[in-house]
Amino acid sequence: MIRRNKMVKVYYDEDADLEVLSDKTIAVIGYGNQGRAQALNMRDSGLNVIVGNIRDESWHRALEDGFEVYPISEASELAEIILFLLPDEVQPEVYNREVRGNLSDGKALVFAHGYTIHYGFIKPPRNVDILLLAPRMIGTYVRELFQRGSGAPAFISVGQDASGKGLRRVLALAKAIGATRVGVMELSFAEEVELDHFSEHYTVPVIFRAIQLGFEALVEEGYTPEAVLLEMYASGELAEVFRAAAKMGLYKQMSLHSTTSQYGTLTYGSRVMPDSAKGMIKEVIREIKTGRFAREWQLEQQAGYPMFRRLKEEALRHPINEVEERLRRMIRIEL
Ligand code: NDP
């Protein structure tokens, strides 16, 4: 079932050398979720980091954290290594206006997600490195894990190697944010983007939808709504199951549960999600590969987000939200 058609390359601290960045100015463009965490980690690793941002709260936060902060175009001009950590949907416009003109020979433009490069929303010139350093973790944990002496795993890629030092540069950046402490995996921009979309278009929606339909069915059958949520996810137990799965293994962590629970899980898995569902899953994969979603999302942005707004309003009007409020007043959950 598992076909190996290529070698997986994983790099650790001993494969990376910060020296390649020691005399370089590194600009973190966008002091948000990823930007703040990566900028702080890189500075703690001894690199020369500046921040580029619009004049908003994040600008002031970066100043308070002790960084030199510049408008985006100025930071891009000053730096040789530019980490472009803006929301994906705003990247093309800001790139064209503020960054493109500052990409002189041998600089590196680094992304935390390959979306805008893979789908061609950004078409960089040939004289710069195009690198990917995509932590598989939200920004706060990229920082927290680093401070604990560990790190978040990441995908890395060299999309374009104008300097001839692309791999050494991205490995040094990965080391500086703590990622090579645990290991970084090399793969293409395309694979990073498509796997990320698979999580967003399959794994997470399946879990959310299973919870929503389960809630509706149980409440219709007369079960106590607050108890339903506490049982399904609100106690935090489900989160702990996934944490244990990441550490021990999806099925190996089952030993933490009663044998009754294990037997129930094993016998009902294929009943509620039969093997025939794989056809639908492959359909999702095929659709991701066509880039249809990226085009739809771009049109949605251009139209002012009408569908996104409607779907979000609908989700936030679902009775689950009200029951969650009541449950939080009843049970003080500390996670
Ligand atoms: P954020 O939403 O946290 O925003 C980053 C920064 O961009 C903020 O400082 C924000 O300012 C600024 N910004 C927003 N709109 C504009 C604009 N129009 N012009 C200029 N600046 C703007 O981004 P993330 O850190 O979540 O994402 C950055 C990159 O990292 C993306 O490519 C994303 O896919 C990737 N990534 C994100 C992960 C995550 O944990 N969130 C995980 C792995 C990868 P303000 O604070 O004012 O909004």
Side-chain angles (χ1 to χ4, degrees):
M1 185 184 150
I2 297 177
R3 269 182 300 156
R4 275 246 165 272
N5 47 15
K6 57 188 172 199
M7 283 290 290
V8 183
K9 275 200 193 155
V10 181
Y11 300 90
Y12 303 94
D13 269 355
E14 57 272 26
D15 304 311
D17 187 357
L18 292 177
E19 194 53 36
V20 69
L21 301 176
S22 63
D23 58 345
K24 304 276 182 267
T25 299
I26 297 160
V28 169
I29 307 294
Y31 202 69
N33 291 313
Q34 284 297 325
R36 179 169 192 262
Q38 295 195 26
L40 290 168
N41 291 4
M42 287 192 293
R43 185 176 65 186
D44 287 353
S45 295
L47 299 183
N48 176 26
V49 181
I50 62 172
V51 170
N53 212 85
I54 45 175
R55 276 190 188 269
D56 64 357
E57 268 177 44
S58 308
W59 170 292
H60 293 290
R61 197 163 189 210
L63 278 180
E64 279 163 26
D65 287 340
F67 287 102
E68 285 175 26
V69 190
Y70 300 91
I72 292 172
S73 63
E74 208 175 322
S76 311
E77 191 187 345
L78 288 170
E80 280 147 296
I81 313 288
I82 302 164
L83 272 68
F84 203 42
L85 303 183
L86 299 180
D88 300 296
E89 64 274 21
V90 310
Q91 284 184 10
E93 192 199 324
V94 177
Y95 168 82
N96 287 327
R97 205 180 51 229
E98 322 236 11
V99 179
R100 189 172 55 182
N102 294 306
L103 293 179
S104 48
D105 289 354
K107 287 195 178 189
L109 187 59
V110 189
F111 295 83
H113 180 30
Y115 187 87
T116 47
I117 290 289
H118 177 57
Y119 291 118
F121 295 124
I122 289 179
K123 294 189 182 9
R126 303 206 63 80
N127 62 327
V128 294
D129 293 347
I130 298 298
L131 308 175
L132 178 73
L133 172 55
R136 293 297 83 210
M137 193 62 77
I138 57 173
T140 38
Y141 289 117
V142 170
R143 180 65 181 153
E144 211 177 292
L145 287 164
F146 179 89
Q147 288 177 306
R148 294 211 309 252
S150 182
F155 291 135
I156 59 160
S157 192
V158 178
Q160 186 170 286
D161 191 6
S163 71
K165 297 182 213 148
L167 183 61
R168 282 167 60 210
R169 282 175 162 182
V170 75
L171 282 173
L173 291 169
K175 185 172 190 169
I177 68 163
T180 47
R181 290 174 182 173
V182 291
V184 296
M185 191 179 286
E186 188 177 14
L187 77 180
S188 66
F189 271 62
E191 201 173 0
E192 186 271 337
V193 173
E194 290 170 9
L195 288 179
D196 188 71
H197 279 193
F198 187 74
S199 292
E200 291 161 3
H201 300 180
Y202 169 72
T203 318
V204 176
V206 159
I207 296 169
F208 281 20
R209 190 84 179 132
I211 287 176
Q212 183 182 321
L213 291 183
F215 171 85
E216 290 172 8
L218 284 163
V219 173
E220 280 162 24
E221 292 298 315
Y223 290 88
T224 309
E226 293 80 5
V228 168
L229 290 193
L230 194 62
E231 178 61 40
M232 284 204 294
Y233 66 92
S235 71
E237 189 187 18
L238 186 61
E240 289 308 321
V241 168
F242 281 114
R243 191 189 292 272
K247 281 188 178 163
M248 300 168 65
L250 192 60
Y251 290 115
K252 294 194 186 83
Q253 64 79 34
M254 289 179 70
S255 61
L256 302 176
H257 307 271
S258 71
T259 45
T260 312
S261 152
Q262 293 178 41
Y263 184 70
T265 299
L266 291 171
T267 50
Y268 272 82
S270 57
R271 282 188 64 185
V272 294
M273 190 93 176
D275 287 350
S276 57
K278 207 180 271 179
M280 172 272 292
I281 298 170
K282 293 220 171 157
E283 189 57 38
V284 171
I285 297 171
R286 274 194 291 277
E287 202 172 299
I288 289 171
K289 282 179 183 291
T290 65
R292 190 204 59 77
F293 174 81
R295 286 190 295 279
E296 178 188 318
W297 181 220
Q298 189 187 30
L299 290 174
E300 177 69 9
Q301 290 156 36
Q302 286 163 356
Y305 302 98
M307 170 81 94
F308 182 47
R309 276 189 224 282
R310 185 175 65 71
L311 291 172
K312 237 176 140 173
E313 275 164 22
E314 260 172 43
L316 291 170
R317 268 203 312 270
H318 191 277
I320 276 185
N321 297 280
E322 199 186 308
V323 178
E324 281 170 335
E325 292 293 320
R326 288 206 301 272
L327 178 62
R328 258 184 240 121
R329 284 195 293 272
M330 289 173 191
I331 309 260
R332 290 181 292 276
I333 292 156
E334 300 266 341
L335 288 174

